[in-house]
Every structure is written in structure tokens, then in C-alpha cells.
């Protein structure tokens, strides 16, 4: 018989399965995982989220020749995931599909690595059950289907743990902590070091490389080295000779990791502002350093609730059904049972390792805001899902020992094979019941509930993705103006990754306040997502009763006569009831746009609540994009704004301006609290960042200052 460390045992019919059965069960688990990760591919999630679009864009930068060790975009991003996506884009040109494919494959690699790790530490039963939990839990399914870099952290952390344990103990033979068998007399773990088992330090090169690469995945990865440092300290306490025998190997392990991660460390040291956008997340830590532990207490408590407490899960619909905990039903009991088993067996290194991994990986979630945040806790996925598997096998062990004790008291003998058989049956029944329940609830909650949630559809740009697909499928090459709610930043950024053709002239606008005629176009198309329809006044004025070209529940696309639009706005009255001097139009602002015309009432009753002003504009030059607004103020004789009578907006953001574009801006100025009387309308343009107003100038070059008068307005009771 082979020798083993404490509480280890020889292989038996129950601690190992015939290779064919083991392989068949593993393949079955993999097939289930593949179905959960690739079913309804491209439909759930329905489109790209802004963070996914950023990751796709950064991958394309790598394909264009960039070799970053860190990206400062999007509050700072480690690049390993983007390199993988960039490579995949060579074979899968659609960015959305490339992102999803990489994440799905990384999820499968995590599953296989976890299976091999669990098998080495705990045996085949626990390995198969743990892998099955990874295959079907909502948390692991959702992270494997989202095109986000976070998934690389849990995959690399699991691979690092597997390589570490293989390097630490490469002795051949079955070495499991427990698997439905009574435990032999304890011995020192791993075993008294002898020359035949002291490995060359080079065995730790691969684990060191993987640990170093882990730091290039996602910010919470920076606690992963701490898992191994604490575990080595733990081993030093319980088995000092084993650690001393491998001190050179450990130096290689951590040294290689340091060398691999050094470029990232140097970059961050030289770019202290690279992650300042995440400063709000570390406020609980800063408060703790000031002596205020209340915020850390709240985030820690919220993190602990995320496992089983109803309503305690991640509240963000982006990643979860708001408040849904990680475990639902029987899995909750098995999770806590596995946690208890690990605590009770803390002197056995495999169980201690899982506890240390779980606790350390949760620290970023427990110490930062907001909490709970499933993605920030993603490094804890593998140890978390080891626990219900450990709990399941522990129940089988408990049943086996109970049956043996009962037979002794009853003075009859139960064959060991019968006890093992009954224990195995119990484990199989518990595993099948808990995993079956989890698989059913995950499928329903993810595909039926989460995938059809309106907030999810909105956050993942479902409507605009449908517009992109419709434009790709159309042979029409006329320009398209597209409405959205985030037209200054995320909407065009996401759409650029979704639309596959490059022969369309695209403009983005806020359909609640603007309408655009694309430069040089006599006809164009207006694409309106269901959540961003065209303002009723603009629609009746410029679209009339025209029928949409395409109409679905997600969007409508209308034909638009741009030539007629231009003809109409050029005829608008230019000086409606001037008070003082109203300039001759057009008026240029900073040489970038010209005010062409104005339409508004001269007299308005307070009962109408709002004064509607339509202004027509032409873009005369393209400029560095920045957030800009057109203001219209109702002012008194002293030039002061009356009450809340002002409106500042720009429905055609500057990043989309092209020379020759013309647009109408609609503004509604509230006048319900304006006393009856005569007032002056003032108009100007300013850059939001810093508040700098643009200078107005008439055609002959005369400067008008930083605003112009649109004439008088009489407010009646």
C-alpha cells in the first residue's frame, strides 16, 4: 500500500471510478456547461453594455498594433482579456460574438481547472459535483456569458491554484482528503520530506507565471498573491519541515510572479491617476483609516448576505436579478454545511486552502463600495462552489459512519461495501436534487426572467442592437440619424461595435429635443428606439403622417425628406418682435455653428406652463468634441434670469458634427412662476466643462459678445 499524509487514503472503488465512467460524467458536465454558456448566443444578453463595448474597442486597438500593459480608459483596465479577444477577432470578426466566445471558453477552462484541482485535493466525487455546480450556478453562467474582462480573474486564479498544487505534490497515486471512506491513522502532511520527493524549484515556474498573469486580469486580482502567502504561513505553522524543504521552490514561485507582474507595477507607479475614477469605491477603506468603521461594516455585512439571504444578492440588474442570492433552495444548506466542514477540518491543508482562498477573495467586496458586487467577488467563485460539493460528500460520510455505529449497537455487522454503497447513493441523490433544482432555477431566472427584463434590455442596448441588425440587412445606403438617451457618449460607442457595415453616414441625436438634416443628403432615415421616440411637436411638424419603413416592438425607422426640412427652416422669421437690437441672421458662434432662424411665440400665457422655442442651426466647422449646450433665458430689465425660466441643452452632440449638417433645436422654458410682464429672451452657447461661453459674431465680422437677444416676450396671466 502507498503511504499518504494525514487523513488521506488509498484509492478504492468509491474514491475512484472506472475511467470510462469518470470521463463520461465529466463530458456530461461539460456538455451541460456548454449549453448554459452558449444557448441563445447573441440573444441573452441582447446586445452590448457600455463596459463590453469598451473592452471590444480596446481589443481592436491591440489588433491595430498597440501593446499595452494597462489601459487607462474606462477607469483603468488590465489587458489580458483584451489580448485574448484581439486574437479571437482574427477568426470571429463580430466584436460581440468574439467577446461572448472568449468569456464562454474561459468559463469552461475554469470548470476543467476546478475539476482537476478538486480531484487532486478531495477526490473524484467532490470534483464531479463541484464542477457541476460551476456548470449551472447563475453566478458562473452569467459571468461566462458577459463580454467582460472579469472572467479572466476566476479562470487564472483557478489555474494558478491547480498548478501550485501540482508543483507542491507531484507524487503519483490517489491522494484525496476524503471520499466516502473511513480515514486512516493521521500522519504528518504532506509527508516527511525525503530526497525522492523534493522537487526541483523549476516545477514552480508555471505556477509563478500564472500567478503573475493573474494580476493582468481585473483589479481584485491584487489580493490573489495574498492567498498563497497566507497559505504558506499556515503550512509553516502546521508542517514546518515541508515548507523548509521547498523554500527555494517558493522563492521561484513568488519571484517569477513578481517578474511577470513588474511591468504592470511600474506602469501604475508612474501613472498614479490611472485609477482615480474608481476612488469612490475605496471610500470605506479611507473612512476606516480615519477611524470610522461604519462603512466597512456595512459593505462586509452586505457581502456576507449575498450567498443565501433573499434580497441580499447583487442589486444591479446588469449582472443579476436584483437581490437574487447566489444559492437558492437546497444549495444554501449545502453551502453552509461545506463551510462548517472546512472550519472543522482546518488542520487539513486542502480545506484550509479553500477557506483562505474564499476569505481573501471576498476582501475587495467587503472593503469597497458598492457591495455586494458579484463581479468584484469573482475570484471567490471556485472556492465558493467547492463548499456545496464538500457538504454533499460530508453528508455521505456522516451517513456511512452513522450506519456503522448503529450496526455495532444493534450487534450485527453491516458489510463495508454496503455502507459505502448506501453512502454513495445518498451523495448521488443529494447532488442530483440540489444540482437539478439549481439548473432549473438558473435557466428560468437567467433566460426567461433576467434576459427579458426591461432594465436589462435597456442597459444592454437591445433596441439599438436591433436597429444595427436592420441596417446591416438593408441595401439602402442613405444617411441615418439615430436617437438615444446617451448620445454624447455610450450610445454611439456601443453602436460602433454592433453595426458591421461601414458605408453609412450616421448621426446621433436626442429625439426629445432635436432633428438633423445630414450634410449633402436630400433624403435620410430616422431610427427611433422604443425608449427614445421623436418629440410629438417635431414629429408632427417635420414627419407628418409618413409611415415607418420598418416597425418592430424595439424600434421604428422613418423616411425623412431632408431637402424639405432645409427649405422650411430657411424660411423661418429671423427677428420676431425685437427689443433693442436683434442681429441680422445668421449669427456664428465661435466659428463652429450658425444660428439660421427662430420660431417662437411673442406672447404667452402663464397657464401654458412652457414657452416653446425652435432654433435652426448649421454646422460650419468640425471641432474637438466636448459637452456643449445652447441656453435660452428669460431675463428681466436688469438682465437677471426670471425664476426658473431657462433651458440649457443640445440635442445634436458635437462629436457627431460634420460641416454642412443642419439641425433644429427644441427648447421648452418653464414660465409658470414668471409674473405677467414684458421680458427679453437671450440665447448663447457654452462648453459645459468650465462654463466658457462661445462668442457670437455677425456676417460682417462684428462681435456681439457671449450671447444675443432674441427679442421680447410678453407673459400674460
Amino acid at each position: 500500500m502507498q503511504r499518504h499524509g494525514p487523513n488521506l487514503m488509498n484509492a478504492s472503488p468509491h474514491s475512484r471510478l472506472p475511467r470510462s465512467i469518470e470521463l463520461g460524467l465529466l463530458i456530461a458536465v461539460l456538455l451541460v456547461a456548454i449549453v448554459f454558456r452558449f444557448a441563445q448566443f447573441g440573444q441573452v444578453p441582447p446586445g452590448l453594455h457600455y463596459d463590453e463595448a469598451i473592452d471590444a474597442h480596446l481589443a481592436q486597438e491591440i489588433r491595430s498594433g498597440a501593446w499595452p500593459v494597462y489601459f487607462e480608459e474606462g477607469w483603468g483596465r488590465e489587458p489580458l482579456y483584451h489580448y485574448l479577444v484581439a486574437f479571437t477577432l482574427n477568426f470571429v470578426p463580430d466584436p460581440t460574438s468574439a467577446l461572448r466566445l472568449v468569456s464562454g471558453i474561459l468559463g469552461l477552462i475554469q470548470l476543467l481547472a476546478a475539476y482537476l484541482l478538486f480531484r487532486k485535493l478531495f477526490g473524484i466525487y467532490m470534483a464531479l459535483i463541484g464542477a457541476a455546480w460551476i456548470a449551472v450556478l447563475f453566478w458562473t453562467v452569467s459571468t461566462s456569458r458577459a463580454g467582460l474582462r472579469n472572467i479572466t480573474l476566476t479562470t487564472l486564479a483557478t489555474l494558478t491554484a491547480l498548478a501550485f498544487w501540482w508543483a507542491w505534490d507531484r507524487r503519483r497515486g490517489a491522494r484525496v482528503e476524503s471520499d466516502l471512506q473511513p480515514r486512516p491513522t493521521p500522519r504528518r502532511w504532506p509527508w516527511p520530506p525525503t530526497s525522492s520527493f523534493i522537487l526541483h524549484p523549476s516545477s514552480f515556474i508555471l505556477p509563478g507565471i500564472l500567478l503573475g498573469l493573474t494580476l493582468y486580469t481585473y483589479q481584485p486580482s491584487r489580493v490573489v498573491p495574498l492567498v498563497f502567502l497566507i497559505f504558506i504561513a499556515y503550512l509553516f505553522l502546521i508542517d514546518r519541515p515541508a515548507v523548509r524543504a521547498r523554500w527555494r521552490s517558493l522563492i521561484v514561485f513568488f519571484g517569477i510572479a513578481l517578474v511577470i507582474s513588474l511591468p504592470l507595477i511600474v506602469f501604475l507607479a508612474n501613472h498614479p491617476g490611472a485609477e482615480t475614477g474608481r476612488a469612490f469605491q475605496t471610500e470605506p477603506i479611507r473612512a476606516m483609516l480615519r477611524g470610522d468603521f461604519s462603512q466597512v461594516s456595512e459593505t462586509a455585512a452586505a457581502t456576507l448576505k449575498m450567498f443565501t439571504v433573499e434580497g441580499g444578492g447583487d442589486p444591479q440588474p446588469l449582472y443579476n436579478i436584483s437581490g437574487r442570492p447566489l444559492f437558492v433552495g437546497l444549495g444554501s444548506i449545502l453551502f453552509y454545511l461545506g463551510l462548517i466542514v472546512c472550519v472543522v477540518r482546518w488542520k487539513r491543508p486542502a480545506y484550509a486552502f479553500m477557506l483562505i482562498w474564499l476569505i481573501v477573495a471576498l476582501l475587495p467586496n467587503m472593503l469597497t463600495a458598492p457591495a455586494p458586487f458579484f463581479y468584484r467577488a469573482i475570484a471567490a467563485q471556485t472556492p465558493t462552489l467547492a463548499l456545496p460539493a464538500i457538504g454533499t460528500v460530508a453528508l455521505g460520510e456522516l451517513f456511512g459512519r452513522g450506519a456503522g455505529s448503529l450496526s455495532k449497537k444493534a450487534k450485527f455487522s453491516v458489510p463495508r461495501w454496503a455502507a459505502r454503497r448506501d453512502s454513495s447513493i445518498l451523495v448521488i441523490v443529494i447532488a442530483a436534487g440540489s444540482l437539478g433544482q439549481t439548473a432549473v432555477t438558473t435557466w428560468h431566472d437567467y433566460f426567461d426572467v433576467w434576459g427579458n427584463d426591461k432594465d436589462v434590455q435597456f442597459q444592454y442596448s437591445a433596441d439599438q442592437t436591433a436597429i444595427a441588425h436592420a441596417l446591416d440587412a438593408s441595401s439602402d445606403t442613405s444617411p441615418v440619424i439615430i436617437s438615444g438617451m446617451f448620445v454624447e457618449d455610450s450610445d454611439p460607442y456601443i453602436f460602433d461595435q454592433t453595426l458591421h457595415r461601414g458605408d453609412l453616414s450616421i448621426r446621433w441625436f436626442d429625439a426629445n429635443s432635436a432633428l438633423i438634416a445630414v450634410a449633402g443628403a436630400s433624403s435620410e432615415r430616422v431610427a427611433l428606439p422604443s425608449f427614445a421616440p421623436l418629440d410629438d411637436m417635431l414629429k408632427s411638424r417635420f414627419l407628418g403622417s409618413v409611415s415607418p419603413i420598418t416597425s418592430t416592438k424595439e424600434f421604428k425607422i422613418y423616411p425623412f425628406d431632408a431637402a424639405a426640412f432645409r427649405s422650411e427652416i430657411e424660411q423661418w422669421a429671423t427677428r420676431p418682435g425685437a427689443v433693442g437690437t436683434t442681429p441680422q441672421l445668421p449669427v456664428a458662434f465661435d466659428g463652429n455653428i450658425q444660428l439660421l432662424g427662430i420660431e417662437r411665440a411673442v406672447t404667452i400665457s402663464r397657464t401654458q406652463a412652457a414657452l416653446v422655442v425652435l432654433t435652426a442651426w448649421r454646422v460650419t466647422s468640425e471641432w474637438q468634441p466636448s459637452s456643449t449646450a445652447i441656453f435660452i433665458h428669460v431675463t428681466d430689465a436688469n438682465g437677471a434670469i426670471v425664476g426658473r425660466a431657462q433651458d440649457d441643452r443640445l440635442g445634436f452632440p458635437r462629436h457627431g458634427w460634420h460641416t454642412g449638417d443642419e439641425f433644429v433645436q427644441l427648447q421648452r422654458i418653464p414660465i409658470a412662476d414668471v409674473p405677467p410682464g414684458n421680458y427679453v429672451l437671450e440665447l448663447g452657447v457654452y462648453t459645459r466643462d468650465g462654463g466658457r461661453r462661445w462668442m457670437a459674431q455677425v456676417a460682417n465680422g462684428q462681435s456681439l459678445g457671449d450671447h444675443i437677444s432674441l427679442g421680447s416676450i410678453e407673459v400674460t396671466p
Side-chain angles (χ1 to χ4, degrees):
M1 294 181 64
Q2 293 179 338
R3 286 181 162 183
H4 298 281
N7 305 321
L8 303 180
M9 62 185 178
N10 291 320
S12 75
H14 295 88
S15 64
R16 73 181 181 201
L17 294 171
R19 291 284 184 177
S20 59
I21 295 178
E22 179 187 359
L23 182 60
L25 290 174
L26 179 58
I27 290 173
V29 170
L30 278 172
L31 289 175
V32 170
I34 289 171
V35 170
F36 272 86
R37 281 149 183 78
F38 296 105
Q40 301 184 35
F41 189 78
Q43 300 173 39
V44 183
L48 286 178
H49 178 252
Y50 187 38
D51 281 334
E52 293 179 307
I54 293 175
D55 285 341
H57 175 74
L58 298 180
Q60 290 167 339
E61 285 190 11
I62 292 173
R63 287 196 73 206
S64 299
W67 290 90
V69 296
Y70 192 82
F71 287 108
E72 295 190 59
E73 291 90 336
W75 295 353
R77 294 171 187 245
E78 296 79 359
L80 181 57
Y81 179 78
H82 308 96
Y83 280 101
L84 297 175
V85 175
F87 174 77
T88 306
L89 285 169
N90 292 314
F91 313 99
V92 183
D94 173 40
T96 303
S97 299
L99 289 168
R100 304 274 192 263
L101 181 61
V102 169
S103 294
I105 292 175
L106 287 171
L108 295 176
I109 294 173
Q110 176 206 5
L111 185 151
L112 285 172
Y115 170 79
L116 295 173
L117 176 64
F118 297 161
R119 189 181 192 276
K120 184 167 188 64
L121 297 183
F122 303 104
I124 296 172
Y125 276 50
M126 189 273 176
L128 288 169
I129 296 170
W133 275 102
I134 292 175
V136 300
L137 191 72
F138 187 103
W139 188 21
T140 50
V141 170
S142 65
T143 54
S144 295
R145 295 180 65 96
L148 297 169
R149 73 193 191 284
N150 319 64
I151 184 67
T152 53
L153 170 53
T154 188
T155 303
L156 264 293
T158 307
L159 286 170
T160 302
L162 174 61
F164 173 85
W165 279 89
W166 265 346
W168 185 272
D169 174 16
R170 296 184 62 183
R171 186 179 184 184
R172 298 185 63 185
R175 302 189 68 257
V176 293
E177 289 282 1
S178 175
D179 214 348
L180 311 181
Q181 284 286 318
R183 295 184 296 276
T185 303
R187 293 176 55 87
R188 182 183 294 275
W189 185 91
W191 54 75
T194 63
S195 59
S196 60
F197 297 123
I198 296 177
L199 300 177
H200 194 277
S202 62
S203 299
F204 279 81
I205 292 177
L206 177 60
I209 291 173
L210 290 171
L211 180 59
L213 289 176
T214 299
L215 298 180
Y216 290 87
T217 59
Y218 180 40
Q219 275 87 359
S221 65
R222 295 165 196 177
V223 303
V224 174
L226 189 61
V227 174
F228 296 94
L229 287 169
I230 294 176
F231 182 64
I232 297 302
Y234 157 85
L235 289 179
F236 190 76
L237 292 176
I238 71 163
D239 192 3
R240 198 163 297 178
V243 177
R244 286 174 175 170
R246 294 166 174 81
W247 67 270
R248 292 183 181 86
S249 298
L250 293 174
I251 290 176
V252 170
F253 174 57
F254 289 111
I256 291 293
L258 178 61
V259 170
I260 295 294
S261 60
L262 192 59
L264 176 62
I265 295 172
V266 171
F267 178 90
L268 292 176
N270 291 330
H271 298 79
E275 297 178 328
T276 53
R278 300 183 185 274
F280 73 95
Q281 297 175 343
T282 57
E283 177 56 33
I285 297 176
R286 292 196 297 273
M288 181 177 63
L289 295 176
R290 296 192 299 267
D292 178 8
F293 289 83
S294 61
Q295 293 187 46
V296 167
S297 298
E298 292 174 2
T299 54
T303 298
L304 296 178
K305 290 179 181 178
M306 76 181 192
F307 292 98
T308 61
V309 176
E310 186 63 32
D314 194 331
Q316 301 181 76
L318 272 175
Y319 315 112
N320 188 38
I321 295 175
S322 184
R324 185 189 191 277
L326 294 179
F327 294 101
V328 177
L330 184 56
S332 301
I333 300 173
L334 295 174
F335 167 78
Y336 286 119
L337 179 59
L339 186 61
I340 292 170
V341 170
C342 286
V343 172
V344 171
R345 299 177 181 175
W346 69 271
K347 290 187 178 180
R348 303 190 211 173
Y351 295 96
F353 181 75
M354 288 298 158
L355 273 179
I356 293 169
W357 187 354
L358 176 65
I359 294 170
V360 173
L362 289 177
L363 287 178
N365 221 19
M366 298 176 73
L367 299 177
T368 60
F373 184 27
F374 282 176
Y375 273 81
R376 199 178 301 128
I378 198 169
Q381 273 190 356
T382 298
T384 295
L385 295 181
L387 296 184
I390 291 172
T392 301
V393 173
L395 284 176
E397 293 176 333
L398 183 64
F399 177 81
R401 288 196 295 270
S405 299
L406 182 62
S407 67
K408 290 180 181 179
K409 290 181 180 180
K411 297 182 179 181
F412 65 86
S413 177
V414 176
R416 293 181 63 186
W417 65 266
R420 292 197 300 268
R421 178 201 62 195
D422 294 343
S423 297
S424 299
I425 292 174
L426 179 63
V427 168
I428 292 170
V429 170
I430 294 173
S434 59
L435 288 166
Q437 178 197 42
T438 300
V440 170
T441 55
T442 293
W443 188 275
H444 173 263
D445 290 350
Y446 185 80
F447 292 103
D448 299 334
V449 179
W450 184 83
N452 291 305
D453 183 85
K454 289 184 178 179
D455 284 341
V456 172
Q457 295 280 320
F458 174 73
Q459 293 291 344
Y460 282 88
S461 306
D463 292 3
Q464 288 161 342
T465 298
I467 291 174
H469 293 336
L471 295 179
D472 281 331
S474 173
S475 60
D476 193 344
T477 59
S478 62
V480 185
I481 61 173
I482 307 174
S483 172
M485 293 187 67
F486 305 102
V487 294
E488 285 206 57
D489 41 49
S490 62
D491 285 344
Y493 199 95
I494 294 170
F495 198 80
D496 185 54
Q497 299 297 329
T498 308
L499 184 69
H500 295 156
R501 61 192 297 180
D503 61 340
L504 294 181
S505 182
I506 303 290
R507 305 288 191 276
W508 286 87
F509 74 111
D510 178 1
N512 188 52
S513 67
L515 193 59
I516 306 164
V518 175
S522 58
S523 63
E524 60 190 47
R525 290 170 287 173
V526 181
L528 304 170
S530 61
F531 59 83
L534 188 62
D535 177 86
D536 288 340
M537 176 177 289
L538 293 175
K539 184 178 180 181
S540 62
R541 182 73 178 267
F542 298 108
L543 288 185
S545 59
V546 64
S547 299
I549 303 169
T550 307
S551 179
T552 71
K553 67 176 183 179
E554 292 91 4
F555 68 92
K556 289 181 172 61
I557 298 179
Y558 290 90
F560 181 51
D561 189 338
F565 173 81
R566 287 194 190 88
S567 177
E568 179 171 351
I569 62 177
E570 287 171 1
Q571 298 176 20
W572 284 5
T574 58
R575 289 183 292 177
V579 171
T581 302
T582 299
Q584 180 68 42
L585 300 179
V587 174
F589 287 84
D590 265 14
N592 295 322
I593 54 173
Q594 291 179 335
L595 176 63
L596 302 178
I598 308 158
E599 272 213 350
R600 52 95 173 181
V602 176
T603 302
I604 187 170
S605 169
R606 294 175 63 192
T607 59
Q608 294 181 248
L611 168 66
V612 176
V613 179
L614 292 171
T615 52
W617 302 81
R618 178 185 294 121
V619 176
T620 55
S621 69
E622 300 176 44
W623 200 252
Q624 181 65 35
S626 61
S627 183
T628 302
I630 296 171
F631 70 81
I632 297 181
H633 299 160
V634 176
T635 60
D636 60 19
N638 297 319
I641 301 173
V642 183
R644 296 181 297 109
Q646 66 180 83
D647 186 52
D648 298 22
R649 67 183 62 241
L650 177 60
F652 181 23
R654 289 179 63 192
H655 66 75
W657 287 7
H658 289 71
T659 301
D661 289 345
E662 296 182 355
F663 66 98
V664 166
Q665 178 65 55
L666 182 151
Q667 288 168 279
R668 289 184 169 89
I669 297 94
I671 60 166
D673 61 349
V674 175
N678 291 312
Y679 302 96
V680 176
L681 286 180
E682 292 183 351
L683 176 147
V685 182
Y686 68 94
T687 303
R688 293 185 187 275
D689 185 13
R692 186 189 70 83
R693 289 190 178 187
W694 294 13
M695 300 306 294
Q697 189 178 56
V698 292
N700 63 9
Q702 178 186 356
S703 176
L704 302 176
D706 62 8
H707 67 279
I708 64 172
S709 169
L710 299 183
S712 65
I713 179 73
E714 181 183 1
V715 178
T716 62

